[in-house]
Amino acid sequence: MSTTSRPRPGRSASDRHPAPRTAVVVGAGMVGLATAWHLQEQGVEVTVVDREGVAAGSSWGNAGWLTPGMAMPLADPSLWTYGPRALLDPAAPLHVPVRFDPRLWSFFARFMAHATQRRWDRAMAALTPIDRVALDAFDELAAGGSLGHGVEAGTTPGPFTVAFEHAREARPFLRELEHVAAAGQTVPVRRVEAGERAYQLTDRVSTVYALEGQRFLEPGPYVHALADSVRARGGTILTGLDVLDVEPGRLGACVFARAVHPDAARHPALVGAGASDGPGVTDGVGPHAGAPRRAGSPADREEGVVLRGDAVVLATGAWLPSLAAPLGVRTRVQAGRGYSFTVKTDEPVDTPIYLPARRVACTPYQGRFRIAGTMEFRGPDEPLQPRRIEAILASVRHLFQGVDLDDRHDEWVGSRPVTPDGLPLVGATRTRGVYVAGGHGMWGMVLGPATGRALAHLVTTGETPDEIRPFDPLR
């Protein structure tokens, strides 16, 4: 459960912060939809807007791991061992393309500056409160809350198989878990004997552990089920709308968007609403959303639509800076691109397999085996780089058997939103009524529901739950 700071004497936070009746959530991934779901729990009418569609970003092709015991800062001291390789070797698990890009290099310098044990420990302590409630938040979505219509997609418990070619490679992984435990989490791990090993591992794998207490899911289908739940509870999801700007309005905030699909602006939730700010116009969303009109100043906005809500939440992942930076969110968010594909296996795979030394995560997925890996710092909209998939294949081919690595389907690249300090950005911006939820790095899937629950509490009461207090987006 969320915990909040003790209210100060005088008026309560809710007295000073009237609860919104309506909200617009920009972004239909795990974080945005979970926030919308929990705003509905608080009695808020929600509309979710996305340029592409539900789970169109990094919520689709990731490994689907719900591993709060591994949700830790990305910038760790080991970066100084292999970080320089990232600049020279395009096959390295962490890769930064060598090119003239001052913003990218500025981010990478700040990212590396956080790769010290002291800063890692501090960030881990900040992540631990939300890590500890992460799995309970999935159970709440399944139960349906006060409105019913729970998420009709399940999560599956582990154990996770953690495999190493050489015994010495396990030491950094076990040391990380010791630091996670020191920060306040319980992460059960045990050595696996030869008879318990996953069939897919070859004899080249010398050391295997089982990580307990974690879960996994099929990410795309789960997020679509979450979207179905939001709709069943009365929410509206609009796709094909590219949000250009967010500004304070006469009441609440205004979201200016343009249709990137011919049918988007003709959606029944948009057409027929009031087209002026005169009496009787509802500053709301859903059936009372602003009608298609010019998207206001600046003058270069194309003909578009205006959505208005008492509150607006920006949950656009790696694309967050374009909307959030003008609102005072100065922390850099860089696309940390991960790759995945699915393959056929001779024998069914029941549980995930993790190869920490190769930075590769594998998960059962719709009768196949999803293999995911790498961290590539590039622009979020740059095309898939086949060389990165080839690098994953080269790193694991000798460790797998009964896995047809040449029969690949669903090759994918997704842009995960990475911050230099490894902490998400969750909370209010400098613009009244506008909030952000992003910057989770690789952990948006596991931390999304807990993030949405905590942020919905802040939006509706003005009180910041302890589990998101370290994630102030104005830090």
Side-chain angles (χ1 to χ4, degrees):
M1 296 293 293
S2 298
T3 56
T4 56
S5 58
R6 183 176 301 169
R8 296 177 181 177
R11 291 187 303 164
S12 68
S14 58
D15 291 337
R16 301 188 304 270
H17 183 97
R21 295 177 297 109
T22 61
V24 178
V25 178
V26 184
M30 173 65 96
V31 174
L33 288 169
T35 303
W37 195 96
H38 281 286
L39 285 170
Q40 291 175 312
E41 278 292 284
Q42 302 294 330
V44 180
E45 181 187 357
V46 298
T47 287
V48 181
V49 182
D50 197 280
R51 185 182 190 279
E52 300 291 339
V54 173
S58 59
S59 290
W60 185 82
N62 63 80
W65 285 18
L66 308 183
T67 51
M70 294 172 57
M72 57 187 72
L74 297 180
D76 66 77
S78 69
L79 280 178
W80 293 104
T81 302
Y82 69 88
R85 181 185 167 203
L87 310 181
L88 303 174
D89 183 1
L94 171 66
H95 179 57
V96 186
V98 178
R99 63 187 181 192
F100 181 74
D101 188 338
R103 289 177 62 83
L104 174 59
W105 291 112
S106 172
F107 167 83
F108 189 61
R110 296 178 186 181
F111 183 75
M112 291 297 295
H114 284 275
T116 67
Q117 194 62 56
R118 181 177 63 85
R119 289 188 170 185
W120 190 95
D121 289 340
R122 186 167 60 190
M124 188 67 242
L127 286 167
T128 295
I130 196 167
D131 285 347
R132 294 176 67 176
V133 299
L135 296 182
D136 289 343
F138 282 89
D139 296 336
E140 185 174 357
L141 293 178
S146 61
L147 300 178
H149 302 288
V151 177
E152 295 183 353
T155 65
T156 305
F160 284 54
T161 294
V162 186
F164 302 90
E165 183 174 5
H166 307 290
R168 65 179 181 275
E169 294 174 338
R171 289 196 289 268
F173 172 75
L174 296 175
R175 190 160 48 245
E176 279 187 336
L177 293 186
E178 290 173 358
H179 286 285
V180 170
Q185 285 196 73
T186 301
V187 188
V189 63
R190 60 180 176 84
R191 185 74 177 263
V192 171
E193 302 303 326
E196 300 179 77
R197 289 162 52 112
Y199 165 81
Q200 288 75 22
L201 297 175
T202 69
D203 292 339
R204 296 283 294 272
V205 173
S206 70
T207 306
V208 179
Y209 289 86
L211 185 68
E212 308 278 2
Q214 319 296 304
R215 307 183 199 173
F216 63 98
L217 50 69
E218 294 184 345
Y222 186 92
V223 176
H224 276 276
L226 176 56
D228 291 342
S229 176
V230 169
R231 292 189 187 99
R233 292 153 62 91
T236 300
I237 299 177
L238 304 176
T239 60
L241 290 177
D242 186 18
V243 173
L244 306 173
D245 198 6
V246 179
E247 293 180 358
R250 182 171 56 85
L251 295 173
C254 296
V255 174
F256 300 98
R258 64 182 175 89
V260 294
H261 185 279
D263 295 332
R266 296 194 291 272
H267 192 286
L270 297 176
V271 176
S276 71
D277 288 329
V281 176
T282 301
D283 284 82
V285 294
H288 306 296
R293 68 184 81 176
R294 180 164 298 280
S297 60
D300 61 352
R301 288 182 179 141
E302 301 180 27
E303 192 72 22
V305 298
V306 179
L307 296 169
R308 290 170 295 173
D310 299 332
V312 172
V313 176
L314 305 179
T316 52
W319 294 265
L320 186 64
S322 63
L323 294 174
L327 308 179
V329 181
R330 297 179 298 174
T331 298
R332 286 278 290 131
V333 176
Q334 170 64 44
R337 296 170 12 129
Y339 287 75
S340 74
F341 49 88
T342 65
V343 295
K344 182 181 177 181
T345 60
D346 292 347
E347 298 290 335
V349 185
D350 297 323
T351 60
I353 297 175
Y354 181 35
L355 304 170
R358 306 293 183 266
R359 304 297 196 274
V360 171
C362 311
T363 315
Y365 182 76
Q366 298 190 337
R368 291 173 67 84
F369 192 44
R370 173 170 279 173
I371 299 178
T374 82
M375 176 66 72
E376 176 191 50
F377 290 146
R378 284 184 181 266
D381 295 310
E382 293 189 42
L384 180 148
Q385 305 292 312
R387 198 169 182 179
R388 300 299 292 163
I389 290 179
E390 294 167 5
I392 296 173
L393 293 169
S395 71
V396 304
R397 193 177 290 275
H398 64 294
L399 302 177
F400 283 139
Q401 63 182 0
V403 178
D404 189 351
L405 295 174
D406 297 317
D407 178 24
R408 295 188 301 278
H409 295 179
D410 308 315
E411 291 189 346
W412 172 88
V413 61
S415 296
R416 301 163 296 193
V418 180
T419 61
D421 60 6
L423 299 182
L425 304 168
V426 184
T429 70
R430 287 180 181 165
T431 297
R432 182 179 177 85
V434 182
Y435 304 81
V436 297
H440 293 80
M442 298 193 303
W443 314 119
M445 188 61 60
V446 61
L447 300 182
T451 294
R453 181 173 63 191
L455 182 58
H457 184 87
L458 170 61
V459 170
T460 56
T461 69
E463 300 172 344
T464 302
D466 289 343
E467 59 262 38
I468 62 169
R469 188 172 298 281
F471 308 153
D472 183 357
L474 302 181
R475 64 181 184 270

mmCIF file of all heavy atoms in Angstrom, residues 353-388:
data_model
loop_
_atom_site.group_PDB
_atom_site.id
_atom_site.type_symbol
_atom_site.label_atom_id
_atom_site.label_comp_id
_atom_site.label_asym_id
_atom_site.label_seq_id
_atom_site.Cartn_x
_atom_site.Cartn_y
_atom_site.Cartn_z
ATOM 1 N N ILE A 353 15.015 -17.279 -18.657
ATOM 2 C CA ILE A 353 16.444 -17.557 -18.523
ATOM 3 C C ILE A 353 17.192 -16.241 -18.653
ATOM 4 O O ILE A 353 16.934 -15.459 -19.584
ATOM 5 C CB ILE A 353 16.931 -18.555 -19.592
ATOM 6 C CG1 ILE A 353 16.228 -19.906 -19.421
ATOM 7 C CG2 ILE A 353 18.442 -18.727 -19.529
ATOM 8 C CD1 ILE A 353 16.569 -20.923 -20.508
ATOM 9 N N TYR A 354 18.101 -15.985 -17.725
ATOM 10 C CA TYR A 354 18.877 -14.745 -17.713
ATOM 11 C C TYR A 354 20.358 -15.087 -17.813
ATOM 12 O O TYR A 354 20.849 -15.966 -17.099
ATOM 13 C CB TYR A 354 18.585 -13.979 -16.422
ATOM 14 C CG TYR A 354 19.299 -12.658 -16.276
ATOM 15 C CD1 TYR A 354 19.557 -11.843 -17.373
ATOM 16 C CD2 TYR A 354 19.682 -12.202 -15.011
ATOM 17 C CE1 TYR A 354 20.197 -10.623 -17.227
ATOM 18 C CE2 TYR A 354 20.309 -10.980 -14.858
ATOM 19 C CZ TYR A 354 20.576 -10.192 -15.961
ATOM 20 O OH TYR A 354 21.202 -8.989 -15.809
ATOM 21 N N LEU A 355 21.031 -14.387 -18.709
ATOM 22 C CA LEU A 355 22.476 -14.535 -18.896
ATOM 23 C C LEU A 355 23.124 -13.193 -18.559
ATOM 24 O O LEU A 355 23.364 -12.361 -19.441
ATOM 25 C CB LEU A 355 22.787 -14.949 -20.337
ATOM 26 C CG LEU A 355 22.087 -16.224 -20.828
ATOM 27 C CD1 LEU A 355 22.291 -16.392 -22.328
ATOM 28 C CD2 LEU A 355 22.588 -17.442 -20.072
ATOM 29 N N PRO A 356 23.387 -12.922 -17.277
ATOM 30 C CA PRO A 356 23.861 -11.590 -16.879
ATOM 31 C C PRO A 356 25.144 -11.156 -17.562
ATOM 32 O O PRO A 356 25.299 -9.973 -17.907
ATOM 33 C CB PRO A 356 24.055 -11.730 -15.360
ATOM 34 C CG PRO A 356 23.151 -12.848 -14.962
ATOM 35 C CD PRO A 356 23.172 -13.799 -16.119
ATOM 36 N N ALA A 357 26.086 -12.066 -17.742
ATOM 37 C CA ALA A 357 27.356 -11.680 -18.347
ATOM 38 C C ALA A 357 27.194 -11.287 -19.805
ATOM 39 O O ALA A 357 28.054 -10.596 -20.366
ATOM 40 C CB ALA A 357 28.360 -12.819 -18.219
ATOM 41 N N ARG A 358 26.110 -11.724 -20.433
ATOM 42 C CA ARG A 358 25.826 -11.361 -21.830
ATOM 43 C C ARG A 358 24.782 -10.248 -21.922
ATOM 44 O O ARG A 358 24.469 -9.807 -23.029
ATOM 45 C CB ARG A 358 25.333 -12.590 -22.600
ATOM 46 C CG ARG A 358 26.256 -13.791 -22.525
ATOM 47 C CD ARG A 358 27.579 -13.535 -23.234
ATOM 48 N NE ARG A 358 28.440 -14.706 -23.216
ATOM 49 C CZ ARG A 358 29.380 -14.946 -22.301
ATOM 50 N NH1 ARG A 358 29.569 -14.081 -21.317
ATOM 51 N NH2 ARG A 358 30.131 -16.024 -22.361
ATOM 52 N N ARG A 359 24.217 -9.856 -20.787
ATOM 53 C CA ARG A 359 23.136 -8.857 -20.740
ATOM 54 C C ARG A 359 21.964 -9.294 -21.621
ATOM 55 O O ARG A 359 21.383 -8.490 -22.354
ATOM 56 C CB ARG A 359 23.636 -7.476 -21.186
ATOM 57 C CG ARG A 359 24.824 -6.924 -20.416
ATOM 58 C CD ARG A 359 24.475 -6.700 -18.950
ATOM 59 N NE ARG A 359 25.427 -5.842 -18.271
ATOM 60 C CZ ARG A 359 26.566 -6.247 -17.704
ATOM 61 N NH1 ARG A 359 26.907 -7.519 -17.782
ATOM 62 N NH2 ARG A 359 27.344 -5.396 -17.087
ATOM 63 N N VAL A 360 21.586 -10.569 -21.532
ATOM 64 C CA VAL A 360 20.519 -11.125 -22.356
ATOM 65 C C VAL A 360 19.448 -11.727 -21.448
ATOM 66 O O VAL A 360 19.756 -12.500 -20.533
ATOM 67 C CB VAL A 360 21.065 -12.192 -23.323
ATOM 68 C CG1 VAL A 360 19.924 -12.935 -24.017
ATOM 69 C CG2 VAL A 360 21.970 -11.536 -24.368
ATOM 70 N N ALA A 361 18.181 -11.373 -21.723
ATOM 71 C CA ALA A 361 17.033 -11.851 -20.956
ATOM 72 C C ALA A 361 16.102 -12.606 -21.898
ATOM 73 O O ALA A 361 15.782 -12.118 -22.988
ATOM 74 C CB ALA A 361 16.296 -10.679 -20.325
ATOM 75 N N CYS A 362 15.664 -13.783 -21.488
ATOM 76 C CA CYS A 362 14.832 -14.643 -22.333
ATOM 77 C C CYS A 362 13.561 -15.044 -21.581
ATOM 78 O O CYS A 362 13.608 -15.304 -20.377
ATOM 79 C CB CYS A 362 15.596 -15.905 -22.740
ATOM 80 S SG CYS A 362 17.257 -15.591 -23.384
ATOM 81 N N THR A 363 12.438 -15.115 -22.320
ATOM 82 C CA THR A 363 11.153 -15.374 -21.693
ATOM 83 C C THR A 363 10.268 -16.220 -22.593
ATOM 84 O O THR A 363 10.253 -15.998 -23.811
ATOM 85 C CB THR A 363 10.413 -14.038 -21.412
ATOM 86 O OG1 THR A 363 11.306 -13.094 -20.842
ATOM 87 C CG2 THR A 363 9.240 -14.252 -20.474
ATOM 88 N N PRO A 364 9.500 -17.154 -22.046
ATOM 89 C CA PRO A 364 8.475 -17.828 -22.844
ATOM 90 C C PRO A 364 7.477 -16.799 -23.368
ATOM 91 O O PRO A 364 7.027 -15.922 -22.625
ATOM 92 C CB PRO A 364 7.810 -18.782 -21.846
ATOM 93 C CG PRO A 364 8.783 -18.923 -20.724
ATOM 94 C CD PRO A 364 9.525 -17.638 -20.644
ATOM 95 N N TYR A 365 7.125 -16.919 -24.656
ATOM 96 C CA TYR A 365 6.215 -15.937 -25.239
ATOM 97 C C TYR A 365 5.373 -16.598 -26.330
ATOM 98 O O TYR A 365 5.873 -16.917 -27.403
ATOM 99 C CB TYR A 365 6.984 -14.753 -25.819
ATOM 100 C CG TYR A 365 6.085 -13.669 -26.393
ATOM 101 C CD1 TYR A 365 5.416 -12.796 -25.544
ATOM 102 C CD2 TYR A 365 5.898 -13.559 -27.763
ATOM 103 C CE1 TYR A 365 4.575 -11.816 -26.062
ATOM 104 C CE2 TYR A 365 5.067 -12.579 -28.293
ATOM 105 C CZ TYR A 365 4.410 -11.708 -27.432
ATOM 106 O OH TYR A 365 3.572 -10.751 -27.950
ATOM 107 N N GLN A 366 4.096 -16.826 -26.049
ATOM 108 C CA GLN A 366 3.124 -17.324 -27.009
ATOM 109 C C GLN A 366 3.642 -18.558 -27.754
ATOM 110 O O GLN A 366 3.581 -18.639 -28.982
ATOM 111 C CB GLN A 366 2.727 -16.209 -27.982
ATOM 112 C CG GLN A 366 2.065 -15.035 -27.265
ATOM 113 C CD GLN A 366 1.438 -14.030 -28.205
ATOM 114 O OE1 GLN A 366 1.798 -13.931 -29.359
ATOM 115 N NE2 GLN A 366 0.482 -13.270 -27.693
ATOM 116 N N GLY A 367 4.164 -19.512 -27.004
ATOM 117 C CA GLY A 367 4.635 -20.759 -27.577
ATOM 118 C C GLY A 367 6.020 -20.704 -28.174
ATOM 119 O O GLY A 367 6.535 -21.721 -28.658
ATOM 120 N N ARG A 368 6.644 -19.539 -28.124
ATOM 121 C CA ARG A 368 8.007 -19.403 -28.619
ATOM 122 C C ARG A 368 8.891 -18.895 -27.474
ATOM 123 O O ARG A 368 8.488 -18.880 -26.311
ATOM 124 C CB ARG A 368 8.053 -18.461 -29.834
ATOM 125 C CG ARG A 368 7.379 -19.083 -31.064
ATOM 126 C CD ARG A 368 7.281 -18.094 -32.215
ATOM 127 N NE ARG A 368 8.562 -17.726 -32.790
ATOM 128 C CZ ARG A 368 9.206 -18.420 -33.719
ATOM 129 N NH1 ARG A 368 8.693 -19.566 -34.186
ATOM 130 N NH2 ARG A 368 10.356 -18.002 -34.208
ATOM 131 N N PHE A 369 10.079 -18.465 -27.801
ATOM 132 C CA PHE A 369 11.071 -18.066 -26.804
ATOM 133 C C PHE A 369 11.574 -16.687 -27.201
ATOM 134 O O PHE A 369 12.190 -16.530 -28.267
ATOM 135 C CB PHE A 369 12.211 -19.092 -26.822
ATOM 136 C CG PHE A 369 13.192 -19.000 -25.678
ATOM 137 C CD1 PHE A 369 12.770 -18.831 -24.376
ATOM 138 C CD2 PHE A 369 14.556 -19.142 -25.921
ATOM 139 C CE1 PHE A 369 13.684 -18.782 -23.329
ATOM 140 C CE2 PHE A 369 15.476 -19.105 -24.892
ATOM 141 C CZ PHE A 369 15.033 -18.929 -23.596
ATOM 142 N N ARG A 370 11.226 -15.685 -26.409
ATOM 143 C CA ARG A 370 11.668 -14.322 -26.718
ATOM 144 C C ARG A 370 13.056 -14.094 -26.128
ATOM 145 O O ARG A 370 13.280 -14.331 -24.936
ATOM 146 C CB ARG A 370 10.685 -13.291 -26.187
ATOM 147 C CG ARG A 370 11.170 -11.856 -26.325
ATOM 148 C CD ARG A 370 10.081 -10.846 -26.024
ATOM 149 N NE ARG A 370 9.213 -10.668 -27.177
ATOM 150 C CZ ARG A 370 8.092 -9.946 -27.170
ATOM 151 N NH1 ARG A 370 7.698 -9.373 -26.040
ATOM 152 N NH2 ARG A 370 7.355 -9.826 -28.254
ATOM 153 N N ILE A 371 13.964 -13.601 -26.946
ATOM 154 C CA ILE A 371 15.327 -13.287 -26.528
ATOM 155 C C ILE A 371 15.507 -11.782 -26.671
ATOM 156 O O ILE A 371 15.279 -11.216 -27.745
ATOM 157 C CB ILE A 371 16.359 -14.055 -27.376
ATOM 158 C CG1 ILE A 371 16.160 -15.565 -27.201
ATOM 159 C CG2 ILE A 371 17.785 -13.652 -26.995
ATOM 160 C CD1 ILE A 371 17.093 -16.415 -28.043
ATOM 161 N N ALA A 372 15.897 -11.133 -25.588
ATOM 162 C CA ALA A 372 16.010 -9.673 -25.564
ATOM 163 C C ALA A 372 17.345 -9.269 -24.966
ATOM 164 O O ALA A 372 17.891 -9.967 -24.105
ATOM 165 C CB ALA A 372 14.857 -9.065 -24.755
ATOM 166 N N GLY A 373 17.844 -8.134 -25.412
ATOM 167 C CA GLY A 373 19.104 -7.670 -24.849
ATOM 168 C C GLY A 373 19.568 -6.352 -25.423
ATOM 169 O O GLY A 373 18.894 -5.738 -26.247
ATOM 170 N N THR A 374 20.701 -5.934 -24.962
ATOM 171 C CA THR A 374 21.473 -4.742 -25.330
ATOM 172 C C THR A 374 20.882 -3.459 -24.757
ATOM 173 O O THR A 374 19.692 -3.364 -24.446
ATOM 174 C CB THR A 374 21.650 -4.561 -26.853
ATOM 175 O OG1 THR A 374 20.503 -3.954 -27.421
ATOM 176 C CG2 THR A 374 21.947 -5.869 -27.540
ATOM 177 N N MET A 375 21.740 -2.476 -24.649
ATOM 178 C CA MET A 375 21.363 -1.104 -24.311
ATOM 179 C C MET A 375 22.118 -0.219 -25.288
ATOM 180 O O MET A 375 23.346 -0.154 -25.264
ATOM 181 C CB MET A 375 21.752 -0.769 -22.866
ATOM 182 C CG MET A 375 21.489 0.678 -22.464
ATOM 183 S SD MET A 375 19.739 1.117 -22.425
ATOM 184 C CE MET A 375 19.206 0.229 -20.970
ATOM 185 N N GLU A 376 21.353 0.419 -26.157
ATOM 186 C CA GLU A 376 21.929 1.218 -27.234
ATOM 187 C C GLU A 376 21.428 2.648 -27.105
ATOM 188 O O GLU A 376 20.209 2.894 -27.176
ATOM 189 C CB GLU A 376 21.510 0.620 -28.583
ATOM 190 C CG GLU A 376 21.969 1.412 -29.789
ATOM 191 C CD GLU A 376 21.291 0.907 -31.053
ATOM 192 O OE1 GLU A 376 20.048 0.772 -31.053
ATOM 193 O OE2 GLU A 376 22.006 0.653 -32.038
ATOM 194 N N PHE A 377 22.314 3.590 -26.901
ATOM 195 C CA PHE A 377 21.926 4.990 -26.772
ATOM 196 C C PHE A 377 21.892 5.634 -28.160
ATOM 197 O O PHE A 377 22.924 5.984 -28.738
ATOM 198 C CB PHE A 377 22.890 5.738 -25.854
ATOM 199 C CG PHE A 377 22.782 5.332 -24.408
ATOM 200 C CD1 PHE A 377 23.900 5.310 -23.596
ATOM 201 C CD2 PHE A 377 21.566 4.971 -23.854
ATOM 202 C CE1 PHE A 377 23.811 4.944 -22.263
ATOM 203 C CE2 PHE A 377 21.461 4.595 -22.526
ATOM 204 C CZ PHE A 377 22.591 4.588 -21.727
ATOM 205 N N ARG A 378 20.692 5.771 -28.686
ATOM 206 C CA ARG A 378 20.437 6.424 -29.974
ATOM 207 C C ARG A 378 19.143 7.226 -29.862
ATOM 208 O O ARG A 378 18.472 7.203 -28.834
ATOM 209 C CB ARG A 378 20.273 5.401 -31.097
ATOM 210 C CG ARG A 378 21.549 4.762 -31.615
ATOM 211 C CD ARG A 378 21.234 3.845 -32.793
ATOM 212 N NE ARG A 378 22.430 3.194 -33.303
ATOM 213 C CZ ARG A 378 23.160 3.645 -34.298
ATOM 214 N NH1 ARG A 378 22.806 4.777 -34.898
ATOM 215 N NH2 ARG A 378 24.230 2.989 -34.721
ATOM 216 N N GLY A 379 18.772 7.889 -30.945
ATOM 217 C CA GLY A 379 17.493 8.572 -30.981
ATOM 218 C C GLY A 379 16.355 7.575 -30.950
ATOM 219 O O GLY A 379 16.472 6.469 -31.495
ATOM 220 N N PRO A 380 15.229 7.914 -30.331
ATOM 221 C CA PRO A 380 14.141 6.949 -30.178
ATOM 222 C C PRO A 380 13.491 6.528 -31.485
ATOM 223 O O PRO A 380 12.870 5.458 -31.552
ATOM 224 C CB PRO A 380 13.136 7.682 -29.282
ATOM 225 C CG PRO A 380 13.439 9.128 -29.476
ATOM 226 C CD PRO A 380 14.916 9.210 -29.706
ATOM 227 N N ASP A 381 13.598 7.345 -32.529
ATOM 228 C CA ASP A 381 12.941 7.031 -33.799
ATOM 229 C C ASP A 381 13.903 6.514 -34.861
ATOM 230 O O ASP A 381 13.493 6.326 -36.010
ATOM 231 C CB ASP A 381 12.215 8.276 -34.330
ATOM 232 C CG ASP A 381 11.073 8.699 -33.423
ATOM 233 O OD1 ASP A 381 10.257 7.828 -33.071
ATOM 234 O OD2 ASP A 381 11.011 9.885 -33.054
ATOM 235 N N GLU A 382 15.148 6.267 -34.508
ATOM 236 C CA GLU A 382 16.092 5.740 -35.491
ATOM 237 C C GLU A 382 15.725 4.294 -35.834
ATOM 238 O O GLU A 382 15.152 3.569 -35.021
ATOM 239 C CB GLU A 382 17.521 5.821 -34.956
ATOM 240 C CG GLU A 382 18.025 7.246 -34.801
ATOM 241 C CD GLU A 382 19.512 7.299 -34.484
ATOM 242 O OE1 GLU A 382 20.277 6.520 -35.099
ATOM 243 O OE2 GLU A 382 19.897 8.108 -33.618
ATOM 244 N N PRO A 383 16.060 3.857 -37.043
ATOM 245 C CA PRO A 383 15.661 2.502 -37.459
ATOM 246 C C PRO A 383 16.411 1.413 -36.698
ATOM 247 O O PRO A 383 17.476 1.642 -36.117
ATOM 248 C CB PRO A 383 16.020 2.474 -38.955
ATOM 249 C CG PRO A 383 17.084 3.511 -39.115
ATOM 250 C CD PRO A 383 16.749 4.587 -38.121
ATOM 251 N N LEU A 384 15.833 0.226 -36.719
ATOM 252 C CA LEU A 384 16.459 -0.951 -36.138
ATOM 253 C C LEU A 384 17.821 -1.192 -36.779
ATOM 254 O O LEU A 384 17.968 -1.085 -38.001
ATOM 255 C CB LEU A 384 15.537 -2.155 -36.338
ATOM 256 C CG LEU A 384 15.982 -3.525 -35.816
ATOM 257 C CD1 LEU A 384 14.761 -4.335 -35.392
ATOM 258 C CD2 LEU A 384 16.759 -4.316 -36.869
ATOM 259 N N GLN A 385 18.808 -1.511 -35.941
ATOM 260 C CA GLN A 385 20.158 -1.789 -36.417
ATOM 261 C C GLN A 385 20.379 -3.305 -36.413
ATOM 262 O O GLN A 385 20.554 -3.901 -35.348
ATOM 263 C CB GLN A 385 21.188 -1.107 -35.513
ATOM 264 C CG GLN A 385 20.989 0.391 -35.328
ATOM 265 C CD GLN A 385 21.250 1.162 -36.607
ATOM 266 O OE1 GLN A 385 22.256 0.955 -37.280
ATOM 267 N NE2 GLN A 385 20.332 2.052 -36.957
ATOM 268 N N PRO A 386 20.352 -3.973 -37.569
ATOM 269 C CA PRO A 386 20.499 -5.440 -37.597
ATOM 270 C C PRO A 386 21.758 -5.934 -36.892
ATOM 271 O O PRO A 386 21.783 -7.047 -36.355
ATOM 272 C CB PRO A 386 20.535 -5.758 -39.094
ATOM 273 C CG PRO A 386 19.802 -4.616 -39.736
ATOM 274 C CD PRO A 386 20.149 -3.415 -38.907
ATOM 275 N N ARG A 387 22.781 -5.106 -36.879
ATOM 276 C CA ARG A 387 24.036 -5.524 -36.248
ATOM 277 C C ARG A 387 23.860 -5.798 -34.765
ATOM 278 O O ARG A 387 24.569 -6.625 -34.186
ATOM 279 C CB ARG A 387 25.086 -4.428 -36.480
ATOM 280 C CG ARG A 387 26.513 -4.866 -36.268
ATOM 281 C CD ARG A 387 27.431 -3.793 -36.790
ATOM 282 N NE ARG A 387 28.827 -4.172 -36.648
ATOM 283 C CZ ARG A 387 29.843 -3.404 -37.046
ATOM 284 N NH1 ARG A 387 29.593 -2.235 -37.619
ATOM 285 N NH2 ARG A 387 31.089 -3.801 -36.868
ATOM 286 N N ARG A 388 22.917 -5.115 -34.138
ATOM 287 C CA ARG A 388 22.691 -5.337 -32.713
ATOM 288 C C ARG A 388 22.077 -6.712 -32.466
ATOM 289 O O ARG A 388 22.409 -7.391 -31.490
ATOM 290 C CB ARG A 388 21.782 -4.246 -32.145
ATOM 291 C CG ARG A 388 22.324 -2.839 -32.279
ATOM 292 C CD ARG A 388 23.637 -2.670 -31.540
ATOM 293 N NE ARG A 388 23.479 -2.760 -30.102
ATOM 294 C CZ ARG A 388 24.474 -2.968 -29.242
ATOM 295 N NH1 ARG A 388 25.701 -3.155 -29.676
ATOM 296 N NH2 ARG A 388 24.243 -3.012 -27.951
#
